Amino acid sequence: MLESCQNAQERWGGVHQLIDRWLQERRELVNVYASLSDKPQAPSANAEGLQRFCEVLLDYVSAGHFEVYEQLLNEAKEFGDQRGLDLARQIYPRIEAITQVALAFNDRCDNGDCRDLGLSAELKQLGQLLHERFELEDCLIEVLHNAHQGQAPQPA
C-alpha cells in the first residue's frame, strides 16, 4: 500500500497543490495504518494510535469528498471531458461505499466499540478497502486531471 502511495505522488506530485496535499495526507494515513497494524499486541491496546488513525482517516476521506473530487469533476466539465465524467460516475459509487465503511469504523471507535475481538481483522479489511480506494482515486486523477494538462478549457 505504501509503494502505491509513493508511485502516485511521483506521478502527480507538483501537478496541482490540492492533489499534492491530498496525496501527502494519503501517505500519512498509510504510515499511521502501518504502525497500528504492525503492532504485535491487539490494536485496542494502542488506543492512542487507533485514535490517531481515525483522525487521519476522517481527514483524508473528507478532503477527497469535499475538495478533491469536486475539483476534478469541475475540471472535467470545464474541459468538456465526457469520458472522464462517465468514468467518475462509474467509480464514485464504489469510493462512496468504501467511505461508508471507513466512517462506520470511526464511529464505532468514537463510541468505544473498538474491541480486541475482531479489531485486527476489521483493520485488515479496512486496509484492503483503502488500497482499492487509492487505486480508484489514482484512476480518477489520471483521467480527470492529467488528461487535461497542456490543454485550454473549452469555451462556455
Side-chain angles (χ1 to χ4, degrees):
M1 194 162 40
L2 183 58
E3 183 179 316
S4 170
C5 178
Q6 289 171 330
N7 290 340
Q9 217 162 14
E10 287 171 10
R11 281 185 284 179
W12 301 305
V15 173
H16 191 279
Q17 204 171 37
L18 179 65
I19 293 172
D20 286 349
R21 188 179 77 233
W22 191 49
L23 291 174
Q24 184 58 41
E25 288 176 10
R26 179 193 290 183
R27 181 186 222 33
E28 182 181 2
L29 176 61
V30 169
N31 287 334
V32 173
Y33 173 83
S35 70
L36 188 62
S37 64
D38 288 345
K39 302 269 190 231
Q41 78 269 17
S44 64
N46 185 2
E48 188 176 302
L50 188 58
Q51 180 181 1
R52 178 70 183 137
F53 172 71
C54 287
E55 289 170 3
V56 175
L57 178 65
L58 273 183
D59 288 347
Y60 182 80
V61 298
S62 296
H65 283 281
F66 298 114
E67 296 176 46
V68 178
Y69 302 153
E70 183 177 316
Q71 173 67 28
L72 290 173
L73 288 173
N74 287 340
E75 186 175 317
K77 288 174 188 172
E78 190 175 314
F79 283 91
D81 183 358
Q82 193 57 48
R83 176 183 161 261
L85 293 169
D86 290 344
L87 177 69
R89 276 191 214 85
Q90 290 175 341
I91 289 177
Y92 190 76
R94 183 61 186 151
I95 291 174
E96 179 62 27
I98 294 170
T99 297
Q100 292 308 312
V101 172
L103 294 176
F105 178 85
N106 178 72
D107 290 347
R108 279 193 303 284
C109 289
D110 275 353
N111 293 333
D113 292 339
C114 286
R115 294 179 176 79
D116 290 343
L117 185 62
L119 183 58
S120 292
E122 189 175 3
L123 264 175
K124 183 177 180 176
Q125 178 189 19
L126 182 58
Q128 292 168 341
L129 290 172
L130 288 172
H131 181 74
E132 178 186 350
R133 179 188 172 114
F134 298 159
E135 289 179 349
L136 294 170
E137 291 168 344
D138 290 350
C139 184
L140 284 177
I141 293 169
E142 182 73 39
V143 172
L144 295 176
H145 181 70
N146 286 356
H148 308 132
Q149 285 183 320
Q151 293 180 5
Q154 291 188 354

